């Protein structure tokens, strides 16, 4: 299993405004994942239509768009073993009411339309989303000094 798998994790506007973003960074970092890119940014509607391409016909799509453009988003990229699947586990279920305590949504959210965080759901989508949100030069190359203590 590759240690260089990458995922796209974004703290949504409510997670930024409520000050939950440090908790997200702490959880991914302490699990052993390496932060590769980070920026606070407003998501444009065109970007969101690509990002959520599979959801544009859903009845909740207009409210999802206004939610995601209601404030800045903290966009991040993380790298490490099985990070896409492990990242989804750290997030919890889409519906916070079905997210176990101990997960980010389970600990900090109640409504689907205010579920504070996004995480890629497959390696393929992760690569698509990373390319959508970040320029190549924004992905920072460095040696993670912790790796000797994380990987066997
Ligand atoms: P995710 O991958 O767990 O974020 O879930 P999806 O890709 O299915 O949906 C994207 C986002 O749209 C979710 O995180 C929610 O914020 C929102 N969403 C999904 N389903 C619903 C729904 O039934 N109602 C509302 N209000 N929002 C939804
Ligand atoms: Mg999704």
């Amino acid at each position: 299993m590759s240690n260089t798998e990458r995922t796209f994790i974004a703290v949504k506007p409510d997670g930024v405004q409520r000050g939950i973003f440090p908790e997200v960074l702490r959880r991914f970092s302490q699990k052993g994942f390496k932060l590769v890119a980070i920026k606070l940014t407003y998501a444009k509607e065109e970007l969101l239509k690509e990002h959520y391409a599979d959801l544009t016909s859903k009845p909740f799509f207009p409210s999802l768009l206004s939610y995601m453009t209601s404030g800045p988003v903290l966009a991040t990229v993380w790298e490490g073993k099985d990070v896409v699947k492990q990242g989804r586990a750290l997030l919890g279920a889409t519906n916070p009411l079905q997210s176990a305590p101990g997960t980010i949504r389970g600990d900090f959210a109640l409504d689907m339309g205010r579920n504070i965080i996004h995480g890629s759901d497959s390696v393929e989508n992760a690569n698509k989303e990373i390319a959508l949100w970040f320029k190549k030069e924004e992905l920072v190359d460095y040696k993670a000094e912790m790796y000797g203590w994380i990987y066997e």
Side-chain angles (χ1 to χ4, degrees), residues 12 52 55 60 63-64 67 88 94 105 112-113 115 118-119:
K12 296 176 177 180
Y52 285 130
L55 301 175
F60 61 82
S63 65
L64 178 60
Y67 168 38
R88 292 283 291 191
T94 304
R105 287 164 172 166
M112 199 116 79
N115 64 357
H118 166 84

Side-chain angles (χ1 to χ4, degrees), residues 12 51-52 54-55 58-61 63-64 67-68 88 91-96 105 111-121 129:
K12 296 176 177 180
H51 176 84
Y52 285 130
D54 53 328
L55 301 175
K58 300 279 186 191
F60 61 82
F61 191 71
S63 65
L64 178 60
Y67 168 38
M68 290 299 291
R88 292 283 291 191
L91 264 56
T94 304
N95 184 345
R105 287 164 172 166
D111 271 356
M112 199 116 79
R114 295 289 184 274
N115 64 357
I116 67 168
I117 188 161
H118 166 84
S120 308
D121 63 4
E129 291 167 9

Side-chain angles (χ1 to χ4, degrees), residues 1 28 54 63 67 92 97 100 118-119 127-128 147:
M1 200 173 269
F28 275 80
D54 53 328
S63 65
Y67 168 38
L97 294 180
H118 166 84
N127 292 333
K128 186 192 108 182
Y147 268 16

Side-chain angles (χ1 to χ4, degrees), residues 12-135:
K12 296 176 177 180
D14 50 345
V16 172
Q17 294 285 0
R18 291 176 56 200
I20 293 164
F21 60 93
E23 184 68 19
V24 172
L25 301 179
R26 187 183 69 74
R27 290 185 186 205
F28 275 80
S29 210
Q30 290 187 346
K31 177 72 178 169
F33 296 125
K34 173 186 170 184
L35 183 65
V36 170
I38 185 164
K39 70 177 166 191
L40 189 64
T41 181
Y42 275 95
K44 295 223 162 63
E45 221 173 279
E46 306 79 74
L47 181 149
L48 290 167
K49 282 181 179 157
E50 280 194 61
H51 176 84
Y52 285 130
D54 53 328
L55 301 175
T56 49
S57 62
K58 300 279 186 191
F60 61 82
F61 191 71
S63 65
L64 178 60
L65 268 189
S66 61
Y67 168 38
M68 290 299 291
T69 55
S70 63
V73 168
L74 189 71
T76 64
V77 176
W78 295 87
E79 184 175 286
K81 187 184 271 185
D82 201 29
V83 68
V84 171
K85 196 171 132 213
Q86 299 301 318
R88 292 283 291 191
L90 289 176
L91 264 56
T94 304
N95 184 345
L97 294 180
Q98 285 156 16
S99 299
T103 64
I104 293 168
R105 287 164 172 166
D107 286 349
F108 301 112
L110 288 168
D111 271 356
M112 199 116 79
R114 295 289 184 274
N115 64 357
I116 67 168
I117 188 161
H118 166 84
S120 308
D121 63 4
S122 68
V123 172
E124 188 192 348
N125 282 336
N127 292 333
K128 186 192 108 182
E129 291 167 9
I130 291 165
L132 194 58
W133 288 79
F134 286 97
K135 298 186 192 111

